[in-house]
Amino acid sequence: MATLLYRMGRAAFQRRWLVVLLWAVVLGAVGAGAAQAPAASDDGTSFMPGIEAQKASDLIGERFPGSDANGASARIVFVAPDGQKVTAAGHRAAIDTFVAEAAEEPQVADVVNPFTTRAVSKDGSTAYATVDFEVKAGDLTDADKAALEKAIDTARDSGLTVEVGGNALAEQPAAGGSSEVIGIALAAVVLLITFGSLAAAGLPLLTAVVGIGISTAAILALGSVFGLSLTTGTLATMLGLAVGIDYALFVVSRYREERANGHPAHEAAGLAVGTAGSAVVFAGLTVVIALAGLTVVGVPMLTKMGLCAAGAVVVAVLIALTLVPALLGMWPEAVLSRRTRKGGAADVSRDNGGTRWARFVLRRPVTVLVACVAGLGALALPAAQLEMGMPGAESKPVSSTERRAYDALADGFGAGFNGPLTIVVDAKGVAGSEAAAAEIAQRIGATPGVASVSPARFNPAGDTALFSAVPATGPNDERTKDLVQSIRAERAGIERETGATFEVTGSTAMDIDVAQALQDALVPYLSVIVVLALILLLVVFRSILVPVKAAFGFLLSVLAALGAVVAVFQWGWGAQLLGVEQTGPIMSLMPIFLVGIVFGLAMDYEVFLVARMREAYVHGDRAPQAVVTGFRHSARVVVAAAVIMIAVFSGFVGADESMIKTIGFGLAVAVLFDAFVVRMALVPAVLALLGDKAWWLPARLDRLLPRVDVEGTGLTRPPVTAAEPVGSEPVPART
């Protein structure tokens, strides 16, 4: 592996213009494809096949032709001034006028008048009208939206408070906004401080932006084919930018080190790609394993996000191995430190902050180990109180009309009105289908916790009925979850009595089922990625205990990160500082998302840091000294890489969408814990206690495992002169 990458690095350095041209062609080709590709549309696949709520939703689509709610919709909420009612003559006339004006728009399929459908609260203070469109929200033109907004403004002029829910007029959430730019700017500052050179700082940023450009354009170009979107690609942008900077950072750092050791530019580029590039390859593989492993969860959207992000990581790895050495060939001296450019020799034995910290840990490994485990364990405690759900309009800021519409409906119609349960009765083959549906509705309506039940509506064939059951509690209330389970528990008895069966769906039931399914999938998913990554690390480090230690450290950091997420987004600790106006259950995708991504990133730092220790150990250092040597060469760069990742992920905390905000925060604190506590403190403490045993591998297993030479043993050679032929091969390592 190291020799192959060494040759690749030298070839890219020598044929730099060709490599740059090829990447420019790739960027231009995918950019052109993205520009000409049709807009992505929903592929119509189930959100999570197999769960009851999804099966019930599919049954509705099958038995009620034309009822598919793919079209955009808006729920217009009218609230009368204090002390007045919407049924007053003036207010009623204003609402009737709105209904008439909205129905005239060509894209509107139907407008439901609240006075003909009893959509008026008992106290008469609130009413709502539903506007259904023939096209999806993304296909609505500005003219379509403007016409509806004009009708809404007319109703407001009458003195009514009018708020809008639904997806027709909802603004598309931004990925990160200005805070994302701040994160990139902070990354640039960190790179400048680390390298002390504008060229060295700018090169990782440039290559990372190229990688993100290619990945984003590819997602847009393939969006209509695979049902991808910018939201699907948000994770690809987030991870691609972070790892793109980090991978280039490690190659550039190793190039500078080899130049300082006396190697000419072409040789330093080859050695940098052969050594640091090997770590990049295996670190990238661990991230790809974690992301591709999301396919086992069974959520199509999550699978798409994981595969898109995995593709972005692959692009980042390829760029680090080819484009980075090519650009180094264009500016071989500009990226060097001022001392190296002046011909100063490097003092490889000189202590720095990394060596001093390593020796500090080696002198007191037990204390450091206990402090790390206790500290992360304490931070992980809130994770035991994790409540999962899918945040909706209630999680939006109160400044948004969607949130105000949600609150107005809850005040007027009850807390459970925003999350009604949809009951689909399957009476196919039952003689008295209407009587069976009525009996089921009556039994469910009598269930404690059900506030009201709507009249049943039958399909044209008369064998399937639909009705709504409104809970007395809100969508994210634990009592609502218990209510759904109670209704389903009654199914067997009702089926025996009526001959018909029923299923529960709707957004609330869907969220409950998804949360449970994801919780059940977490252990199998975790098992898959841990086993695969342990095998990969076993091959890389040729050790039994180092991979196990890596997995243990990951569990500590991910649990601590999840605890921090619960403390902020569920309990509200410091929530206002992050712009979180409404706390509540953590979105059900978050735990499995955090586990997968953080595992990949944790293994990143494990490979980068421990590979250098392994390299020193293989080249003759004793176990404790190998730890010090690894920190001497890698600590500063690992810290810089972690700070950059934290900066990039923190930028997404400024997103409008709560899912992206939560993921950004979770990843930022996870990197903080994993890089600075686990990898920089717990890892050297454990290695100090293990000594030579850390690198032990049974002889039989040693013979079975392939040798990938990630530590670059085959590249060991003294510094060469610039006059040496460029095509010369590395001198085999001395044994």
Side-chain angles (χ1 to χ4, degrees):
M1 172 67 77
T3 302
L4 174 64
L5 294 177
Y6 166 84
R7 293 171 178 168
M8 182 185 296
R10 283 178 58 130
F13 185 95
Q14 295 161 9
R15 298 172 176 81
R16 44 193 172 272
W17 288 108
L18 176 61
V19 173
V20 171
L21 178 62
L22 289 175
W23 279 108
V25 169
V26 171
L27 179 59
V30 295
Q36 298 177 5
S41 59
D42 186 4
D43 60 5
T45 57
S46 300
F47 178 74
M48 193 169 191
I51 59 176
E52 176 176 324
Q54 186 63 63
K55 290 189 290 185
S57 180
D58 295 341
L59 181 63
I60 293 173
E62 175 188 338
R63 301 283 180 87
F64 288 81
S67 66
D68 189 15
N70 280 333
S73 66
R75 176 173 281 181
I76 316 301
V77 184
F78 306 95
V79 181
D82 291 342
Q84 301 182 31
K85 296 184 178 182
V86 293
T87 53
H91 296 322
R92 180 163 187 159
I95 295 174
D96 288 337
T97 300
F98 165 83
V99 171
E101 291 182 357
E104 293 176 356
E105 297 306 318
Q107 296 288 6
V108 172
D110 186 32
V111 182
V112 179
N113 192 313
F115 300 113
T116 60
T117 57
R118 297 185 296 177
V120 180
S121 62
K122 290 182 179 180
D123 61 4
S125 65
T126 309
Y128 66 91
T130 303
V131 181
D132 293 322
F133 290 84
E134 296 178 348
V135 296
K136 300 176 182 179
D139 296 330
L140 288 176
T141 65
D142 291 339
D144 296 330
K145 296 179 181 180
L148 180 59
E149 290 169 347
K150 181 180 179 181
I152 292 172
D153 290 338
T154 301
R156 284 178 177 148
D157 292 340
S158 70
L160 290 169
T161 297
V162 185
E163 305 296 349
V164 186
N167 62 356
L169 300 184
E171 294 184 1
Q172 293 299 318
S178 59
S179 55
E180 181 182 342
V181 178
I182 294 174
I184 296 176
L186 182 56
V189 173
V190 173
L191 287 169
L192 185 59
I193 294 174
T194 302
F195 288 133
S197 164
L198 285 174
L203 194 150
L205 287 174
L206 173 62
T207 55
V209 170
V210 170
I212 286 301
I214 292 173
S215 302
T216 303
I219 290 171
L220 293 177
L222 299 174
S224 60
V225 178
F226 297 104
L228 309 178
S229 65
L230 282 176
T231 301
T232 307
T234 299
L235 179 62
T237 301
M238 189 186 301
L239 277 181
L241 183 61
V243 301
I245 294 175
D246 279 4
Y247 294 167
L249 166 65
F250 277 91
V251 174
V252 173
S253 177
R254 189 60 183 256
Y255 171 82
R256 284 161 52 98
E257 181 182 329
E258 297 299 340
R259 289 296 306 276
N261 287 338
H263 291 290
H266 64 271
E267 180 69 13
L271 291 173
V273 176
T275 52
S278 297
V280 165
V281 168
F282 285 99
L285 278 176
T286 59
V287 181
V288 169
I289 286 172
L291 293 170
L294 291 171
T295 57
V296 307
V297 179
V299 180
M301 184 192 73
L302 203 58
T303 297
K304 293 175 184 178
M305 294 184 75
L307 293 179
C308 285
V313 173
V314 171
V315 171
V317 171
L318 293 176
I319 285 178
L321 300 179
T322 57
L323 184 58
V324 170
L327 293 178
L328 288 174
M330 293 182 173
W331 299 285
E333 309 299 325
V335 299
L336 302 180
S337 65
R338 184 174 303 175
R339 178 178 181 180
T340 304
R341 288 198 299 268
K342 291 181 178 180
D347 183 4
V348 296
S349 62
R350 183 168 57 90
D351 282 352
N352 55 26
T355 58
R356 288 189 289 270
W357 171 253
R359 291 193 179 103
F360 171 84
V361 176
L362 291 176
R363 287 194 297 268
R364 47 188 67 81
V366 175
T367 302
V368 172
L369 178 61
V370 171
C372 291
V373 173
L376 292 177
L379 290 170
L381 289 178
Q385 304 299 320
L386 172 67
E387 296 178 8
M388 293 194 297
M390 290 297 288
E394 78 283 358
S395 66
K396 293 181 178 293
V398 292
S399 58
S400 67
T401 186
E402 294 94 338
R403 168 65 184 278
R404 294 195 298 268
Y406 180 96
D407 292 341
L409 289 172
D411 292 339
F413 295 89
F417 184 82
N418 286 296
L421 306 175
T422 300
I423 314 297
V424 52
V425 179
D426 187 356
K428 195 170 186 177
V430 178
S433 58
E434 292 187 9
E439 174 65 16
I440 291 174
Q442 189 274 330
R443 291 280 296 270
I444 291 178
T447 303
V450 175
S452 63
V453 173
S454 69
R457 175 171 64 93
F458 276 85
N459 66 334
D463 59 4
T464 309
L466 281 179
F467 64 89
S468 296
V470 178
T473 51
N476 287 319
D477 196 303
E478 277 295 309
R479 290 171 291 181
T480 304
K481 180 179 178 180
D482 296 337
L483 173 63
V484 172
Q485 303 305 329
S486 298
I487 292 174
R488 288 171 173 169
E490 300 175 6
R491 180 161 43 213
I494 293 177
E495 185 174 2
R496 285 194 300 269
E497 296 176 11
T498 64
T501 188
F502 67 87
E503 291 178 325
V504 184
T505 186
S507 60
T508 300
M510 186 73 75
D511 294 344
I512 292 171
D513 289 354
V514 167
Q516 185 61 52
L518 290 175
Q519 183 176 339
D520 295 340
L522 183 58
V523 173
Y525 169 63
L526 186 60
S527 301
V528 168
I529 63 172
V530 167
V531 169
L532 291 177
L534 285 178
I535 294 173
L536 184 62
L537 293 179
L538 180 66
V539 173
V540 172
F541 296 125
R542 310 194 72 78
S543 163
I544 296 291
L545 298 178
V546 169
V548 173
K549 176 264 304 172
F552 173 72
F554 151 72
L555 291 175
L556 282 177
S557 58
V558 75
L559 289 175
L562 192 56
V565 169
V566 170
V568 173
F569 291 89
Q570 184 175 311
W571 294 355
W573 293 2
Q576 292 184 348
L577 298 177
L578 299 178
V580 180
E581 299 189 21
Q582 180 69 27
T583 59
I586 306 303
M587 62 172 183
S588 20
L589 294 176
M590 180 61 189
I592 202 162
F593 222 67
L594 191 67
V595 165
I597 300 171
V598 173
F599 184 85
L601 297 179
M603 296 305 104
D604 255 10
Y605 294 115
E606 181 75 10
V607 172
F608 286 140
L609 184 62
V610 181
R612 204 59 192 267
M613 299 178 188
R614 169 74 181 175
E615 180 179 340
Y617 185 78
V618 169
H619 291 153
D621 282 1
R622 295 179 60 83
Q625 183 58 37
V627 174
V628 176
T629 302
F631 268 78
R632 174 183 292 114
H633 295 292
S634 300
R636 185 182 183 189
V637 182
V638 168
V639 168
V643 172
I644 288 170
M645 275 205 177
I646 293 170
V648 172
F649 291 147
S650 297
F652 289 86
V653 177
D656 297 325
E657 191 174 358
S658 60
M659 174 180 176
I660 303 302
K661 182 188 291 286
T662 309
I663 290 175
F665 174 81
L667 291 179
V669 297
V671 171
L672 175 68
F673 297 152
D674 192 83
F676 291 98
V677 180
V678 174
R679 308 304 155 189
M680 300 300 291
L682 187 144
V683 166
V686 172
L687 291 179
L689 294 173
L690 292 176
D692 290 327
K693 295 177 183 177
W695 309 108
W696 171 78
L697 185 69
R700 178 175 297 180
L701 187 58
D702 185 48
R703 290 190 296 270
L704 291 175
L705 292 177
R707 295 186 177 274
V708 296
D709 190 22
V710 70
E711 63 274 0
T713 304
L715 302 180
T716 303
R717 60 182 304 175
V720 297
T721 63
E724 179 182 346
V726 171
S728 61
E729 294 298 325
V731 176
R734 293 188 298 271
T735 57

